[in-house]
Amino acid sequence: MVQCFLIHTVNPVSTLAPGESRVLYSRVFAPEEGALTGADSELGPEQRRLLQNEKVAVVARQVRSAVTLSREASGRVLVETVLGEELVALQEADSGVQRLGRGEPWPGERSALWLGVQSLAFTLVTEPHENLLLAEGTLKNITRHCLEHLRMLGMGSEVLLKSDRIDVLLHRLLPHGQLLFLNHRFTQSLEKELANYMAQ
Amino acid sequence: MHEGDGCDVVSREIGEEELQKFYCRITKQLMGKEHGHDVIDSLQRLHLIMAGSKEDLSALSSLLLRSLEGRPAGILSHLHTLPLLNTIITYCPESITEDHVTLLSKRLVDWLRYASVQQGGVASSGGFFTGPRIRQPGPVVELDGCVCGDFFTVLCVSQAFSDDQWMNLYSFSLLRHWLITYHNVTDGNNSTDADDRSEVDGSVVSMVSATSSSSRLLPPKERLREKSFQYCQRLIEQSDRKALKRTDTELQKACLVEAVRILDGVCVEDAGCVYRAFPCVKSLFGRLNSDLSCSRVLLPIAQFYLNHGETAAVDSECVWRCVFGVLPAECFNDPYLAHETLSFIRANQLQLHSSVPLYTHYFPSLLKFLAWDSPGLVSDYVDVLPSLVTAGTAVELLHSLLDLPCLTAALTLQLRYTHTHTLSVLHDLLMEAADWSRVIQSAQSVPVLLHVYFNTVTTVSDERLLAQLVLVLLERSSLLLNIPKYTAEIHRVFSHHLLKLCKLHPSLVVDQSRELLEFAGTTTNIHSKEDLYTHVVWVLGEYLSVSFDSRCSVDLVTSCFEALEAVLFEITSSGSPSPRVVTSLLSALAKLASRSHDLIPRVSLFLSKLRSGAVSWCGSEEDVVAVVTRGEELWSLLKLPSVALSVLTPPSLATSPRWHRDANATLPPRLRTLTGLTDTR
């Protein structure tokens, strides 16, 4: 299953230090490590939430580095695409997978799959022996929805406003972090429901 | 918990009654048709419950399972039950009791194997067709449009799906994880990841694999395993069909990966299944190995061969040639394939050595992944490189590591150009390659890998091989791609390891004295590789001695002395040599002289010139002081030749830990310590 999904910046942000990444959206599917064994029971809920945000921030920074290095190496010049050209932006997205070693930030190893679309990265973190082909397809699907229906190109603040819609999207396509073997018909059924919801 | 509050904050302990109420509410919500925002909200709060006790989770699991018992109307009613259960079993597998496991195994069998093969009713949202004249839905269809050939799977399509078809999807999606957790099916890749959560011991005596016709007689868990086996075989057949939609083609590959892994796990538990599974997996390999777009499916197949190839007495060499030879060479720029291949190697390192005899010979191909994406993969290669270092590969591997940036440049060109160029054009292109980002990134990963290489190679090499490596070191120090800082870094690594090698095997210095002397005697080396040069001079001074190797003759010591002396004179008579080079030459000459006393006067001559201040070639005041001080020390030592010998060439016994017991034997180490403290090395 998926540990978490996040959307974050990969270009320099004026209000942040170089190399930092702003997390625009995150959804963690796993309960906190140690929550069940009581290892972290001394931490209050607020502290636990901060700890979780910090871990997500670590992932965002690592992926930002990976995206930057990959773009530098390929020497590609990014062409700004506008609203209406989401599919083009998706086709031209850089993609990759970054190994998150033990302690970076979770005790066990993880794999961070990422799609870099212009100034944003969409990242899915899974256990290392997850079905990465399925995870890759799921990530592309989620990203496509985010770009098409949530009109994410160009305007960072829009993402914050529509996080409830992203919640619903994940609720369907990645329920509780479960990857689903969706053929095009199953996907269409879920998308129909989603469209109904978005229209409200 | 706060009602109607969107944020995940628990403000107080959850009471038993409150918990029950919450469970009831959520069960009702799950059974309802619509799933609005409040349902999502409730489900999110379940994460809080995850922080609760195991009893809470058990109670929740019971409720969830009970909700699956009935068949309420509405396709969305069961949507989240299985994913939710999956989360519970991931983090707290013990909260599902043995009875629940059995119960759910039975339900999973129903959904996986006996889902309807008729298309679900058309959605009743009030379409054009209503009433008795509505067309009967036909059978479900395969991905290529043909009528469904057998039972329903995730690779079947329909206008609309019925309840049990949805449950088929959700069941298969969690199947592998379920089998690993509760059915003694292992995660086939022998990973020793301490994060493995599959603790529950099913402990039912494993039955011999029955044929499908008698599967009804099997206990529920074995029956589920059997049905899973059949489901996977069906998926493998279905993946041979040419899907009409591209996204479905990608899904077929994902299904193949999952199916092979489930089969692999089942076979690890029950070796009897291998004879049924192998023909299927083998023909799949035959189908896919020439299709580069299916490269990632070949890795689970390789794992299957690694785990069961011997049981089935099958020759697996073709699989390894493909996975370690062909794929990295052809698909070096696929980041996912690279990541998964390296994960595979890391997870199976021990077994690869014993089961794949030619494994290490594939290193030239395997390095191509690294050459293309060094930043992303260097940490994987730090883990994997030691397994590639053997006596048979050592020399070539060292060359390959040093040539990594060239390989990167060549691969870049390979992608860029479709036809071959003449060597001179290639050479010109390579010169400009030193500026390319990808090449620079690749160069940055080499030093750390060289450290790993050298630390490993000493454990697998005999002296003859180490001698060869010293030669490679000297030779390649001038043959590196000219990238800023790359050469300096590599020289630093070489220097460090040259010292270590010679310390481990001092007789190497006598062995390779000719080449070392040639290197030390070439004054241009001082300017282009000062760091390495001073280290070579140091090892010559330190280890060219009969106490380290009985073959060290007086003639050898003398010729070494003369070579270094000539260099010293040359550099001090013209230009401004680095004081570090001068002092290291002086030290080496003094050491050599202490072993052959005829040479002492010659050193003394030079040293007395230093004392009298003839150091016009020195740069700054500090340099003068450093050099003169060193000169003084050595001159004092050399006035007492036998003391000089003890200090500058202690018997190797002095370095073994008996010396503290003998008052006489402690002198050399003490003097040596003093020398060491004042030595600029």
Side-chain angles (χ1 to χ4, degrees):
Chain A
M1 61 173 275
V2 170
Q3 174 97 16
C4 68
F5 168 75
L6 50 145
I7 305 176
H8 55 105
T9 60
V10 291
N11 285 352
V13 176
S14 54
T15 48
L16 294 177
E20 292 286 323
S21 173
R22 170 167 294 142
V23 178
L24 301 172
Y25 176 89
S26 73
R27 162 70 50 216
V28 177
F29 297 104
E32 266 305 301
E33 305 267 345
L36 292 170
T37 57
D40 286 341
S41 56
E42 302 91 59
L43 295 176
E46 190 53 36
Q47 284 170 306
R48 254 186 257 157
R49 203 235 287 258
L50 285 174
L51 184 63
Q52 183 159 284
N53 287 348
E54 190 46 51
K55 289 185 178 178
V56 166
V58 167
V59 177
R61 277 198 294 275
Q62 289 229 42
V63 171
R64 186 203 190 285
S65 276
V67 175
T68 309
L69 286 167
S70 170
R71 286 180 172 174
E72 203 179 79
S74 62
R76 278 174 47 202
V77 175
L78 285 176
V79 175
E80 280 279 321
T81 45
V82 294
L83 295 175
E85 292 179 0
E86 288 84 4
L87 285 177
V88 173
L90 187 61
Q91 269 161 18
E92 294 185 348
D94 321 88
S95 70
V97 51
Q98 174 74 22
R99 173 181 158 195
L100 300 175
R102 289 174 191 254
E104 295 175 351
W106 289 284
E109 211 180 280
R110 298 284 184 274
S111 299
L113 292 76
W114 54 264
L115 271 178
V117 183
Q118 311 246 308
S119 59
L120 295 178
F122 298 79
T123 300
L124 207 65
V125 177
T126 69
E127 307 257 298
H129 303 301
E130 186 55 81
N131 187 326
L132 293 187
L133 256 178
L134 186 64
E136 195 192 343
T138 307
L139 177 61
K140 272 195 197 135
N141 208 6
I142 294 173
T143 306
R144 181 175 55 85
H145 276 279
C146 288
L147 293 176
E148 276 181 0
H149 304 298
L150 301 170
R151 323 197 97 209
M152 275 188 186
L153 288 176
M155 298 197 253
S157 56
E158 292 257 326
V159 179
L160 290 168
L161 292 172
K162 291 176 181 167
S163 63
D164 56 334
R165 293 190 169 203
I166 307 180
D167 286 345
V168 175
L169 178 66
L170 292 178
H171 191 59
R172 287 280 174 276
L173 298 182
L174 195 58
H176 297 281
Q178 170 80 67
L179 291 167
L180 298 174
F181 289 86
L182 299 168
N183 62 47
H184 78 276
R185 272 289 172 198
F186 275 115
T187 310
Q188 270 173 22
S189 295
L190 292 175
E191 283 175 352
K192 220 186 293 179
E193 272 177 59
L194 269 171
N196 289 340
Y197 180 86
M198 304 290 194
Q200 286 167 16
Chain B
M1 282 187 281
H2 299 288
E3 291 282 80
D5 189 332
C7 60
D8 294 355
V9 175
V10 172
S11 59
R12 54 198 160 86
E13 288 260 314
I14 307 168
E16 179 63 39
E17 206 188 289
E18 210 174 333
L19 203 56
Q20 281 298 327
K21 277 195 200 155
F22 178 76
Y23 288 160
C24 288
R25 204 177 91 223
I26 207 171
T27 314
K28 280 208 192 80
Q29 284 174 338
L30 286 174
M31 287 182 183
K33 276 192 186 188
E34 293 300 318
H35 280 236
H37 194 61
D38 53 342
V39 177
I40 297 166
D41 197 41
S42 304
L43 288 171
Q44 276 166 206
R45 288 180 200 183
L46 273 170
H47 287 299
L48 307 176
I49 295 178
M50 296 302 191
S53 66
K54 291 176 190 170
E55 291 75 43
D56 290 342
L57 282 177
S58 283
L60 178 61
S61 318
S62 294
L63 262 175
L64 287 173
L65 283 163
R66 245 182 286 147
S67 78
L68 293 174
E69 285 294 295
R71 288 193 158 215
I75 64 169
L76 306 177
S77 53
H78 296 317
L79 258 190
H80 286 262
T81 316
L82 288 185
L84 199 46
L85 272 168
N86 195 28
T87 310
I88 295 174
I89 71 179
T90 304
Y91 295 98
C92 197
E94 323 82 76
S95 63
I96 314 267
T97 64
E98 187 65 30
D99 287 341
H100 288 159
V101 169
T102 308
L103 175 67
L104 198 53
S105 300
K106 287 184 186 163
R107 299 311 311 273
L108 288 173
V109 164
D110 286 338
W111 289 319
L112 286 172
R113 185 62 185 79
Y114 301 110
S116 162
V117 288
Q118 295 298 313
Q119 303 210 11
V122 177
S124 55
S125 54
F128 189 67
F129 297 104
T130 52
R133 275 186 299 171
I134 190 172
R135 258 180 299 145
Q136 282 301 310
V140 297
V141 147
E142 302 281 355
L143 293 177
D144 59 1
C146 297
V147 167
C148 175
D150 200 339
F151 57 89
F152 182 87
T153 72
V154 293
L155 293 180
C156 295
V157 291
S158 168
Q159 289 295 318
F161 294 101
S162 59
D163 257 15
D164 53 356
Q165 288 167 346
W166 280 100
M167 292 314 286
N168 183 290
L169 163 70
Y170 286 101
S171 301
F172 181 65
S173 297
L174 71 47
L175 182 62
R176 193 169 85 90
H177 190 218
W178 179 263
L179 289 175
I180 289 169
T181 311
Y182 295 117
H183 288 239
N184 291 343
V185 168
T186 51
D187 191 359
N189 67 0
N190 304 318
S191 165
T192 52
D193 190 342
D195 230 17
D196 186 28
R197 295 187 186 88
S198 53
E199 298 289 5
V200 176
D201 175 22
S203 60
V204 174
V205 171
S206 172
M207 315 240 327
V208 170
S209 305
T211 60
S212 42
S213 57
S214 59
S215 66
R216 222 167 270 281
L217 304 172
L218 294 169
K221 285 162 87 174
E222 271 65 22
R223 197 149 173 261
L224 177 59
R225 233 159 56 190
E226 176 57 32
K227 296 303 174 189
S228 306
F229 198 100
Q230 291 171 23
Y231 197 100
C232 293
Q233 283 183 311
R234 171 129 164 81
L235 287 179
I236 292 174
E237 280 163 21
Q238 286 177 296
S239 300
D240 206 7
R241 296 172 181 270
K242 186 153 168 49
L244 299 173
K245 297 255 177 198
R246 200 181 54 81
T247 50
D248 288 340
T249 310
E250 296 307 305
L251 181 70
Q252 283 174 314
K253 293 179 204 167
C255 285
L256 282 175
V257 166
E258 194 78 357
V260 172
R261 287 168 101 187
I262 292 175
L263 288 179
D264 187 7
V266 169
C267 286
V268 168
E269 278 314 305
D270 181 0
C273 293
V274 173
Y275 300 101
R276 285 169 65 197
F278 222 109
C280 180
V281 174
K282 187 167 174 217
S283 77
L284 184 61
F285 177 73
R287 227 166 78 200
L288 299 181
N289 69 355
S290 49
D291 182 359
L292 291 178
S293 69
C294 293
S295 56
R296 286 164 67 186
V297 183
L298 295 174
L299 287 168
I301 293 178
Q303 185 72 63
F304 189 94
Y305 270 81
L306 191 65
N307 292 343
H308 311 291
E310 276 179 44
T311 313
V314 166
D315 175 25
S316 314
E317 191 48 43
C318 49
V319 174
W320 308 121
R321 196 166 40 239
C322 181
V323 167
F324 294 144
V326 174
L327 289 185
E330 301 290 323
C331 309
F332 54 83
N333 57 340
D334 179 343
Y336 286 96
L337 182 66
H339 177 90
E340 292 186 288
T341 307
L342 267 300
S343 293
F344 172 80
I345 295 176
R346 281 190 303 122
N348 294 288
Q349 280 198 72
L350 291 173
Q351 207 182 339
L352 282 175
H353 267 290
S354 51
S355 306
V356 185
L358 293 178
Y359 160 64
T360 55
H361 290 247
Y362 290 109
F363 78 81
S365 196
L366 288 171
L367 283 176
K368 290 186 179 177
F369 284 136
L370 176 67
W372 189 256
D373 181 15
S374 324
L377 296 171
V378 65
S379 64
D380 285 279
Y381 277 83
V382 165
D383 289 343
V384 163
L385 188 65
S387 70
L388 294 170
V389 180
T390 66
T393 61
V395 176
E396 277 311 310
L397 184 56
L398 179 55
H399 282 292
S400 299
L401 285 175
L402 295 168
D403 287 330
L404 196 71
C406 295
L407 180 58
T408 306
L411 293 175
T412 310
L413 294 171
Q414 187 180 315
L415 274 192
R416 210 190 277 185
Y417 297 101
T418 52
H419 51 278
T420 52
H421 279 240
T422 60
L423 260 172
S424 61
V425 176
L426 202 63
H427 185 75
D428 288 335
L429 289 167
L430 275 181
M431 295 235 310
E432 115 195 13
D435 281 332
W436 300 343
S437 293
R438 196 180 299 278
V439 172
I440 294 172
Q441 286 176 3
S442 158
Q444 285 166 347
S445 70
V446 175
V448 70
L449 290 173
L450 280 182
H451 279 301
V452 175
Y453 170 85
F454 279 111
N455 289 338
T456 316
V457 82
T458 45
T459 63
V460 303
S461 309
D462 59 10
E463 280 217 26
R464 213 161 58 89
L465 182 55
L466 289 176
Q468 256 188 299
L469 295 180
V470 169
L471 294 183
V472 172
L473 257 166
L474 296 176
E475 181 201 322
R476 290 304 307 258
S477 61
S478 13
L479 281 173
L480 297 167
L481 193 63
N482 190 14
I483 305 168
K485 293 190 213 164
Y486 177 61
T487 318
E489 264 308 304
I490 302 298
H491 288 166
R492 207 191 320 270
V493 176
F494 278 179
S495 304
H496 175 87
H497 287 285
L498 177 68
L499 274 193
K500 279 181 78 175
L501 279 179
C502 292
K503 189 170 181 194
L504 267 178
H505 302 272
S507 51
L508 273 176
V509 177
V510 171
D511 253 344
Q512 305 304 314
S513 55
R514 207 192 67 193
E515 286 81 7
L516 287 166
L517 272 176
E518 211 179 292
F519 186 92
T522 310
T523 41
T524 46
N525 283 339
I526 299 177
H527 309 297
S528 57
K529 16 190 136 125
E530 180 181 312
D531 199 12
L532 187 58
Y533 184 85
T534 51
H535 282 75
V536 170
V537 166
W538 192 87
V539 303
L540 279 170
E542 186 74 7
Y543 298 116
L544 200 76
S545 157
V546 74
S547 65
F548 287 113
D549 190 323
S550 53
R551 295 170 297 167
C552 182
S553 62
V554 171
D555 282 341
L556 186 54
V557 172
T558 308
S559 50
C560 182
F561 183 94
E562 286 175 348
L564 296 181
E565 188 189 41
V567 172
L568 186 60
F569 283 163
E570 194 186 319
I571 61 175
T572 52
S573 58
S574 60
S576 46
S578 135
R580 195 172 152 221
V581 173
V582 173
T583 49
S584 59
L585 281 167
L586 277 177
S587 301
L589 286 170
K591 288 175 187 173
L592 291 169
S594 73
R595 295 166 206 153
S596 177
H597 296 178
D598 310 337
L599 301 169
I600 294 181
R602 290 161 78 165
V603 189
S604 301
L605 189 60
F606 187 85
L607 291 173
S608 63
K609 270 199 204 157
L610 272 185
R611 294 186 80 223
S612 63
V615 281
S616 55
W617 38 264
C618 235
S620 67
E621 181 71 30
E622 297 165 349
D623 294 347
V624 173
V625 169
V627 173
V628 170
T629 310
R630 187 61 181 148
E632 293 277 346
E633 288 160 11
L634 292 170
W635 196 69
S636 313
L637 271 175
L638 288 177
K639 283 197 284 192
L640 304 162
S642 44
V643 175
L645 184 63
S646 299
V647 171
L648 300 173
T649 311
S652 44
L653 278 176
T655 50
S656 59
R658 277 176 297 144
W659 52 262
H660 61 277
R661 297 200 201 124
D662 182 335
N664 290 334
T666 58
L667 183 60
R670 273 195 256 145
L671 285 173
R672 191 178 184 71
T673 311
L674 284 171
T675 315
L677 287 171
T678 51
D679 194 332
T680 48
R681 166 117 340 283

